[in-house]
Amino acid sequence: MVHEIRRRFGAAVLVVATACGVLTGPAAAAPAALPSLEFANPGSQALYGAAYDAALDNLVRTNTIGYDPKYDKSGLLDPSVGFVRAGGGYAQPWTRDASVNSWNATSLLDPALARNTLWAVVDKDGGGALRVQQDDQQWDQVVWATAAWHHFLVTGDRAFLENAYATTKNTLAIRETATTAGFNRTYGLFTGASFFNDGIAGYPAPPADATESVSTGSMPWPGVASGMFLSTNEVYYAAYVNAANMAGQLGRPAAEAAAYRTKATALKNAINRNFWNPETGLYDYQLLVDGTRGAYQEGTGLAFALLFGVANPAQARSIVANAREMAWGMPDTYPNWARYSDAQPGRHNAIVWPLVQGLWAKALAGQGEQNGFAAETARLAKLAGSNSGYWEIYNGGTGVVDGGYQRLGDTVKFHWGSEPDQTWSATAFLDMIHSGLFGLRFTARGLSFAPTLPSGWGDVTLRHLRYRAADLTVTLRGAGTVIRSVTLDGRPAAAGIPATLGGAHTVEITLTGAPAGDRDGDGVPDAQDRCADTAGTVAGCPDPAHLEAEDAHNTGGVKTNVNHTGYSGRAFLDGLWAEGAASAFTIHRTTTAPSTGTLTVRYANANGDARTMTLSVDGHPLRQLSFPKVSDSWDDWGTATFGDIPLTGQDPVLTLSYAPGDTGRINLDWLGYR
């Protein structure tokens, strides 16, 4: 297997090599029935419903591939079932990705697929003992234990749990005695890189230096390898807790579970003793072996503190109040290190990875922070909708697809690409819906609900939610986090179902207690705002006279970019380069009556001739449009105006697409309809 370190931080050739990655094995079959998400509010359906569908497609079609015997080192894979790869350009499952994707969504949506994915990153030692594979990602291998325990809670698979407990025990024992990324008895903490930051761009100086002269990866740096970081120690704390849970569930001698709980308590105390900073009201990011503390913000570390219960209630409130988010979400690490900037953010510094957003949103929902959860979920839905799906990394200030920068010497910064179709970006959004919106909570005895339905989103239904032997249709009504009533198949019930329930059932939950909000700051309360997550001028919605192209719903490879000048807004769109590419604009109107208007498009065309695109209204092709050449430079922009465009309904959709017979290959800046 290619080592994890090469995934994010190999040589520059990696960008080229992974773009043409070859999938091994035949495509695996999708589950018989996938859930569907249906909002009564058309705006919510267009934003969140579309993002949910795209995330499902990413997981079960794009990134589920067939069985490959080279990953069956555990001997526990089912050859009739595939596994989930890490994402576009990354054909392997990888320990961290396999664990996170199973925890986020796969165990619920396709238990057999999740089981295979988890076993695909487990091997055996020379004596045949199961262990999480010993690769370059050794510092956070034990995140697998959290995913494995969650898989059992979702599925009740006891045979899986038996082997998972053995794997967890053996892996923890390896890490406790390891000389690299092992246990520092002086501090009572585990050493090695942070959970997420396998590149030195994720670390200040020290332990880095101003030129990143040792390595672009993190573990070759002595200060990182011997240092202690918040998120990694929280992952170990969770592993100890879950090892104890496994032992108890399997009926092992009480001393086994007690030993793990003792270790968990000691580690939790060490985390709070060494990382909590009362001056900032947050946990510090790092502690170097010489005792130097780093009062920086780590997104995964703060999320784990809330999710795993490392923070007490007062600390949790302080984290929510003091954590800094960027315009497009919770950043990985923050603020910019001295060697990076807003213009050139580090690959793991002051930049947005959807994985981190997903963990933070789940943590906020668990704290009852409805507006914060809503904002983070809206951001990821918009990022996916504006960029033809779920990319690896986005610029935290502009939302543009951006892989971030890495130093390669005294003056050179290498600009990484951001890979498309990233699985954990998609499963992050799925988890926002399942764990956040619907509040799914799993125990060995059943499934409970603790929903968070933001004001302005409208009633929502999740159909064909498969939980063990049950096929559930779950509807949320009202808004808020306080459950006013619950019915199961029309009869009053508790907010949960037993693990033994089978067959088709309907759950309806009515919520109240939503705080009055105005998330987009346009002066229209969310509950009355047709576009509660987008500031605008027409009944709280964007003015159709000027719609920035980067805010359109884009598919077929269309994405945001800033590599040319002269555009308006925060970016322009490229990717209208192949048949099937499309940009869809919702024209919010104050009337539902039929009308005819004029369409103006600002675009760039440096091709040698005029190019054509097809205009559709509400999915029906209207006519082919021609866009003359503007100049020989892609930095120059022109406008084209087209009359007699008929619309009907309050929110019709105009789509520009590269259809059969078109020549495409233009960039878009904005569209206006009058």
Side-chain angles (χ1 to χ4, degrees):
M1 168 176 272
V2 177
H3 283 173
E4 171 76 14
I5 201 75
R6 290 189 56 201
R7 172 196 177 182
R8 311 292 186 195
F9 301 97
V13 71
L14 177 66
V15 173
V16 177
T18 57
C20 303
V22 178
L23 303 186
T24 55
L34 292 172
S36 64
L37 187 66
E38 302 169 11
F39 285 90
N41 182 325
S44 295
Q45 186 63 32
L47 180 61
Y48 305 108
Y52 186 80
D53 289 344
L56 287 175
D57 190 71
N58 176 299
L59 174 63
V60 303
R61 296 184 181 89
T62 302
N63 287 317
T64 293
I65 61 177
Y67 169 82
D68 189 330
K70 75 179 179 182
Y71 295 112
D72 196 6
K73 296 179 181 178
S74 66
L76 294 171
L77 270 68
D78 180 347
S80 68
V81 177
F83 66 88
V84 177
R85 66 171 183 159
Y90 304 134
Q92 294 92 337
W94 277 298
T95 300
R96 186 173 53 183
D97 299 68
S99 303
V100 168
N101 287 325
S102 297
W103 179 23
N104 275 351
T106 318
S107 290
L108 175 63
L109 297 176
D110 192 335
L113 180 65
R115 184 175 61 243
N116 255 26
T117 302
L118 289 168
W119 290 135
V121 296
V122 171
D123 60 17
K124 295 179 179 178
D125 65 15
L130 293 167
R131 61 184 186 177
V132 177
Q133 61 188 8
Q134 303 294 290
D135 59 13
D136 285 340
Q137 197 71 23
Q138 72 273 60
W139 63 85
D140 71 354
Q141 289 169 334
V142 297
V143 69
W144 189 93
T146 293
W149 175 244
H150 177 76
H151 183 81
F152 168 74
L153 294 180
V154 173
T155 66
D157 187 341
R158 195 173 180 85
F160 169 86
L161 188 64
E162 290 276 2
N163 287 317
Y165 180 50
T167 303
T168 298
K169 284 180 59 177
N170 296 336
T171 304
L172 281 170
I174 291 169
R175 297 268 47 91
E176 288 170 345
T177 58
T179 55
T180 300
F183 189 68
N184 183 316
R185 297 187 181 280
T186 300
Y187 292 100
L189 297 167
F190 282 88
T191 64
S194 86
F195 165 80
F196 191 62
N197 295 318
D198 50 9
I200 197 59
Y203 298 85
D209 63 29
T211 63
E212 298 180 352
S213 58
V214 174
S215 170
T216 55
S218 60
M219 284 297 282
W221 290 77
V224 174
S226 63
M228 291 145 283
F229 298 89
L230 175 62
S231 58
T232 293
N233 280 279
E234 291 167 328
V235 167
Y236 276 84
Y237 167 73
Y240 280 132
V241 170
N242 290 324
N245 290 335
M246 292 178 185
Q249 184 66 38
L250 292 169
R252 296 294 193 267
E256 285 190 39
Y260 285 123
R261 294 198 188 281
T262 297
K263 291 180 179 180
T265 298
L267 185 53
K268 180 178 179 178
N269 290 339
I271 292 170
N272 279 292
R273 182 171 61 251
N274 290 292
F275 289 104
W276 180 253
N277 188 332
E279 293 184 6
T280 63
L282 301 170
Y283 287 95
D284 288 348
Y285 169 39
Q286 67 180 28
L287 172 65
L288 302 184
V289 71
D290 65 1
T292 302
R293 292 176 61 155
Y296 312 105
Q297 178 178 295
E298 183 194 17
T300 53
L302 298 183
F304 287 154
L306 302 177
L307 290 169
F308 297 151
V310 172
N312 64 36
Q315 289 171 318
R317 290 190 295 272
S318 180
I319 290 170
V320 171
N322 292 297
R324 294 285 304 277
E325 298 177 35
M326 301 185 74
W328 285 93
M330 172 58 75
D332 177 7
T333 57
Y334 193 80
N336 287 310
W337 313 140
R339 61 194 188 275
Y340 294 113
S341 65
D342 288 345
Q344 293 186 333
R347 186 164 171 82
H348 282 282
N349 177 222
I351 202 164
V352 169
W353 293 68
L355 164 69
V356 181
Q357 287 183 287
L359 291 169
W360 181 240
K362 184 193 324 206
L364 289 175
Q367 294 297 311
E369 291 293 324
Q370 176 180 300
N371 285 340
F373 162 76
E376 200 72 18
T377 305
R379 290 170 184 140
L380 183 49
K382 291 177 185 178
L383 289 172
S386 298
N387 294 287
S388 298
Y390 293 89
W391 292 72
E392 187 177 25
I393 319 172
Y394 301 87
N395 186 289
T398 66
V400 171
V401 172
D402 187 351
Y405 286 79
Q406 195 92 42
R407 287 301 292 258
L408 293 178
D410 290 337
T411 59
V412 177
K413 287 194 183 81
F414 172 67
H415 194 190
W416 282 83
S418 176
E419 292 286 357
D421 298 322
Q422 192 74 357
T423 317
W424 63 16
S425 298
T427 63
F429 187 78
L430 293 173
D431 194 42
M432 287 173 166
I433 298 302
H434 298 153
S435 295
L437 177 58
F438 283 88
L440 304 185
R441 304 288 186 266
F442 300 94
T443 70
R445 293 182 292 179
L447 166 65
S448 62
F449 303 95
T452 300
L453 178 56
S455 172
W457 283 24
D459 296 352
V460 58
T461 298
L462 185 62
R463 301 186 190 279
H464 292 301
L465 175 67
R466 306 284 179 151
Y467 168 64
R468 301 198 184 186
D471 182 347
L472 304 176
T473 296
V474 184
T475 297
L476 305 180
R477 304 190 188 281
T481 59
V482 178
I483 295 176
R484 192 169 67 192
S485 65
V486 181
T487 63
L488 175 62
D489 300 328
R491 299 177 179 177
I497 61 171
T500 54
L501 187 69
H505 297 276
T506 299
V507 178
E508 292 197 5
I509 303 173
T510 300
L511 297 159
T512 188
D518 179 16
R519 290 192 296 275
D520 56 18
D522 64 356
V524 181
D526 294 334
Q528 286 80 49
D529 194 343
R530 282 195 290 145
C531 303
D533 295 299
T534 305
T537 59
V538 179
C541 294
D543 187 346
H546 185 98
L547 299 173
E548 289 290 347
E550 64 268 23
D551 295 325
H553 183 73
N554 299 301
T555 54
V558 182
K559 66 176 180 64
T560 54
N561 211 333
V562 293
N563 65 344
H564 296 294
T565 61
Y567 58 87
S568 70
R570 57 187 174 87
F572 65 90
L573 294 181
D574 71 8
L576 287 159
W577 301 90
E579 190 173 305
S583 294
F585 299 80
T586 300
I587 308 298
H588 298 288
R589 308 194 304 155
T590 57
T591 178
T592 61
S595 66
T596 300
T598 299
L599 175 68
T600 300
V601 180
R602 189 171 193 253
Y603 69 98
N605 177 10
N607 296 292
D609 57 0
R611 314 300 280 187
T612 60
M613 301 285 289
T614 293
L615 174 66
S616 299
V617 179
D618 288 331
H620 302 291
L622 181 65
R623 64 177 183 258
Q624 190 178 67
L625 306 181
S626 179
F627 296 90
K629 177 179 178 177
V630 175
S631 77
D632 290 326
S633 172
W634 289 101
D635 293 327
D636 294 333
W637 301 85
T639 59
T641 300
F642 312 94
D644 300 322
I645 308 298
L647 297 182
T648 187
Q650 195 169 25
D651 297 302
V653 177
L654 294 182
T655 303
L656 289 172
S657 63
Y658 190 151
D662 287 330
T663 54
R665 301 180 65 82
I666 64 173
N667 291 339
L668 293 180
D669 186 26
W670 54 258
L671 175 152
Y673 181 87
R674 294 181 184 271

